[in-house]
Amino acid sequence: MRILLTSHSSLTATRSGRFVAALADWLQAQEHEVRTLVADGPWFVAAGDHPAFDSLDDNQVTAHRDEQRALMDREIDDFDPHVVHAQHVWIHGHLALEAGVPYVITAWGDELDVLAADSRWRRLAQETAENAGRIFVGDASLQARVRTAFGEVPAQVSVLDCPIPVIPACGRQLVAAYREVHVARFGKERP
């Protein structure tokens, strides 16, 4: 499979970034084609040169989203992924939705905190969650928070115990979900 992984932070600086790096390594070892799209900009919690999403004004939000739209479009055109696995419920997942590419998301606690505090992201996150092929979370408490934040969503909200490095059982669970979401969108697995 061709899998596009996305992250809102570097692949070494945050837990979600390290998860993407480890998952990419595992998927490549299983002979899947993998690319990563890493946003260089705001994070969910301010750190170093990275402002927090909730500190951005509306013009900065628009500029960041437009920049990510161009990057995502280029990756989709060049790579033609079978599925996008976006880290976080909003921007990259919503861009995959707009592009019509099958996608799954992993929800993390920091983004749910920002969503509760900053309503500007609410519509994007709600639409992303409602249309995701699957929503993965790290534990039952995050599963409950996702259900509280988004209500009943069609996507299955699955707890994924996926330590770093990625263990085979977790990787196989993800690949099975990728295939399921891909086939649900296209009716069959496409080349």
Side-chain angles (χ1 to χ4, degrees):
M1 292 192 80
R2 289 183 306 278
I3 303 148
L4 176 60
L5 302 172
T6 74
S7 178
H8 282 290
S9 61
S10 81
L11 300 184
T12 59
T14 65
R15 185 167 182 259
S16 62
R18 289 187 297 276
F19 171 71
V20 168
L23 180 57
D25 289 344
W26 187 87
L27 289 166
Q28 288 172 329
Q30 304 307 305
E31 300 184 3
H32 295 283
E33 295 178 61
V34 179
R35 285 199 189 171
T36 56
L37 173 61
V38 179
D40 183 24
W43 290 4
F44 295 99
V45 177
D49 293 337
H50 299 277
F53 276 105
D54 59 359
S55 72
L56 302 179
D57 65 34
D58 290 344
N59 291 331
Q60 291 169 312
V61 167
T62 299
H64 179 69
R65 191 169 189 288
D66 289 347
E67 175 187 48
Q68 294 306 303
R69 161 90 283 147
L71 294 170
M72 176 75 80
D73 287 347
R74 189 174 15 233
E75 284 298 322
I76 290 170
D77 289 345
D78 290 346
F79 186 51
D80 189 25
H82 290 112
V83 69
V84 172
H85 184 165
Q87 302 307 302
H88 307 293
V89 179
W90 45 32
I91 294 176
H92 289 143
H94 199 268
L95 294 175
L97 168 64
E98 289 177 353
V101 178
Y103 69 95
V104 301
I105 53 179
T106 301
W108 300 84
D110 289 344
E111 71 184 305
L112 297 176
D113 295 339
V114 173
L115 280 172
D118 188 343
S119 63
R120 294 178 297 170
W121 303 101
R122 185 81 185 138
R123 181 187 60 82
L124 293 177
Q126 185 70 41
E127 289 175 2
T128 301
E130 287 174 356
N131 292 283
R134 186 77 51 89
I135 302 172
F136 294 104
V137 294
D139 58 45
S141 67
L142 275 175
Q143 186 179 41
R145 287 184 68 193
V146 165
R147 288 186 173 138
T148 299
F150 303 112
E152 290 300 317
V153 293
Q156 180 180 348
V157 182
S158 302
V159 175
L160 182 67
D161 181 20
C162 206
I164 302 168
V166 175
I167 58 173
C170 170
R172 285 191 297 272
Q173 181 183 356
L174 284 168
V175 170
Y178 298 160
R179 280 199 169 91
E180 178 184 312
V181 167
H182 174 79
V183 168
R185 170 70 168 81
F186 294 107
K188 64 179 181 175
E189 195 165 325
R190 64 181 179 85

